[in-house]
Amino acid sequence: MTQKSKKVRKAVLPVAGLGTRFLPATKAIPKEMLTVVDKPLIQYAVEECIASGIEHVIFVTGRRKSAIEDHFDLAPELESFLEERGKTESARTVREIGGDLQFSYTRQSAALGLGHAVLCAAELVGDEPFAVLLGDVIMAGSPAPATRELIEICQATGGGGAIHVERVPHERLQFYGIIDAEPIQAPAGAENFAWSERLLRVNNLVEKPSAEKAPSDLGITGRYVLPPKIFDYLAETKPGTGGEIQLTDGLCRLAGDGELYATVFQGRTHDAGDKLGFLQATVEIGLKDPKLGKPFREYLRSLKLVE
Ligand code: G1P
């Protein structure tokens, strides 16, 4: 393997968006707190952080988002209430929501784009590589947690940036950052990692292209591990697609340095950021739930919708 890079300890979760696609549900409740089966959407990303060895989660938040802070804070009154009534399991569930993670919060004062949201976390991240997880995307069902896989790539490449991509149908290319990439051989010493056979070097990226202008059908899923120099690039990035400062445009600079890698995610990506994706995530995750899965499947069968 090439030179060792610093450990990836921190993850940035941008959660300042207004959730307008879910109105009226999100009038008073953050989109990230909408429930998929039995957990708020954002908890899936936080659990992925824990499973990936992240130690410190930085939320880039905004007005009317305090429910997220409360959810990951301790709740001593609720815990003792449950303990006193013998509801030990529920008390444990409440206590363990955030694992051993440290949480920090910083605010994005205006909706200036994903690149700007990530830039808001620059001081809290400091001079070390970090992960970014888009909380409305649930990445499930791969052998390794998505973020952990990207951390492995970052370390094996001596600190290069890494992103997950997936094949996107023609009519949906306009909703994703699309990459132009080529397969490369994994660095020596990385042969045993699951991604080593499917490592790509990214040459360029285009945010939300028309189908005609898309350089491939590989779209960014919403998981990134990035070197700290991305902050310098984002600070210089001018508003792009949609008049926003795009993370994808900062990534173009990294790709230009030959320091951005991608791999096709092997699990299932649920984009719960719109209503249909949210319903699909609810059904698929509900079907896999250890307790609810069986009765839920029977219910769906009774509707004659699934085998
Ligand atoms: C963002 C990114 C885009 C990425 C997508 C994944 O777009 O800008 O590159 O493909 O997330 O969900 P958004 O969905 O926030 O508009």
Side-chain angles (χ1 to χ4, degrees):
M1 274 199 247
T2 46
Q3 86 199 65
K4 255 196 124 29
S5 91
K6 281 189 188 164
K7 194 167 179 238
V8 180
R9 304 183 302 125
K10 297 180 182 175
V12 175
L13 276 61
V15 293
L18 295 175
T20 50
R21 277 185 276 182
F22 283 95
L23 283 169
T26 47
K27 185 175 172 218
I29 298 170
K31 166 182 78 169
E32 296 77 13
M33 292 303 291
L34 297 178
T35 307
V36 176
V37 184
D38 60 355
K39 288 184 274 206
L41 192 43
I42 194 67
Q43 198 175 324
Y44 289 88
V46 168
E47 288 179 359
E48 185 186 319
C49 287
I50 296 171
S52 302
I54 294 291
E55 296 165 13
H56 184 170
V57 164
I58 299 160
F59 285 107
V60 180
T61 174
R63 287 181 287 283
R64 300 185 311 107
K65 296 281 180 166
S66 55
I68 299 175
E69 294 183 44
D70 292 342
H71 187 71
F72 293 104
D73 197 0
L74 295 176
E77 299 86 359
L78 177 58
E79 266 183 54
S80 31
F81 177 90
L82 292 166
E83 294 281 8
E84 279 159 23
R85 280 155 187 77
K87 299 192 172 179
T88 327
E89 184 61 24
S90 302
R92 196 173 58 84
T93 306
V94 167
R95 189 166 46 247
E96 291 180 356
I97 283 175
D100 292 327
L101 286 171
Q102 178 187 345
F103 292 98
S104 297
Y105 299 85
T106 186
R107 284 204 174 195
Q108 185 185 20
S109 47
L112 298 178
L114 180 59
H116 177 258
V118 171
L119 187 56
C120 289
E123 271 200 41
L124 284 165
V125 171
D127 187 25
E128 52 184 285
F130 64 102
V132 177
L133 292 86
L134 304 190
D136 47 15
V137 180
I138 301 175
M139 311 262 301
S142 78
T147 294
R148 196 204 296 161
E149 201 167 59
L150 298 184
I151 292 173
E152 289 166 359
I153 295 175
C154 172
Q155 288 176 336
T157 57
I163 56 177
H164 270 124
V165 290
E166 64 178 340
R167 300 224 171 264
V168 174
H170 196 251
E171 66 283 2
R172 286 190 55 81
L173 290 166
Q174 56 178 320
F175 300 119
Y176 289 81
I178 305 294
I179 65 165
D180 168 11
E182 60 191 290
I184 55 158
Q185 209 176 0
E191 296 82 5
N192 292 332
F193 289 118
W195 46 263
S196 65
E197 298 281 297
R198 48 189 166 82
L199 189 64
L200 305 169
R201 186 195 303 281
V202 180
N203 298 320
N204 199 8
L205 310 92
V206 187
E207 179 68 8
K208 301 191 174 71
S210 61
E212 298 69 47
K213 296 219 170 113
S216 75
D217 65 348
L218 293 174
I220 305 171
T221 60
R223 294 296 183 272
Y224 312 75
V225 167
L226 301 171
K229 75 172 175 182
I230 192 74
F231 292 126
D232 299 332
Y233 291 158
L234 289 173
E236 292 164 9
T237 299
K238 300 267 177 301
T241 306
E244 298 186 338
I245 296 172
Q246 297 291 349
L247 180 56
T248 301
D249 292 339
L251 297 182
C252 281
R253 301 268 308 267
L254 263 191
D257 296 339
E259 290 175 28
L260 184 64
Y261 302 88
T263 188
V264 178
F265 184 60
Q266 298 296 290
R268 178 87 174 93
T269 304
H270 302 288
D271 185 356
D274 65 42
K275 288 181 195 170
L276 182 60
F278 189 88
L279 284 175
Q280 289 167 342
T282 304
V283 171
E284 290 186 38
I285 294 170
L287 282 170
K288 291 200 183 101
D289 186 89
K291 286 192 188 133
L292 293 170
K294 196 160 172 272
F296 187 42
R297 178 171 294 276
E298 277 160 20
Y299 166 70
L300 291 179
R301 262 199 199 125
S302 78
L303 298 176
K304 308 221 179 304
L305 295 175
V306 291
E307 304 251 316

